[in-house]
Amino acid sequence: MVSKCVNPACDVKFTYFGTGELLVKTSPVTGHQELFWLCQRCATEWQIPTDLVPLHAAKPDRKEKGAAA
């Protein structure tokens, strides 16, 4: 569960959606996804680790039903 900013140096607690940025980490082996949250301040100042990607940019690696091959 997301409870605070993912930046270890930040103590801002997660209170509601709409502020900051949601990030996702996907296991290359299992495909399991874990969510993280970055507060608004850290989203503009902190270097996001390369294994975390913004949720809006994460796309599943599977084809949708009915998609042309």
Side-chain angles (χ1 to χ4, degrees), residues 3-5 7-14 41-42:
S3 61
K4 72 172 255 351
C5 181
N7 180 353
C10 181
D11 290 329
V12 173
K13 300 218 183 288
F14 176 77
R41 188 188 79 220
C42 290

Side-chain angles (χ1 to χ4, degrees), residues 24-34 51:
V24 65
K25 179 178 183 178
T26 305
S27 167
V29 176
T30 64
H32 175 79
Q33 294 185 322
E34 188 173 1
D51 62 340

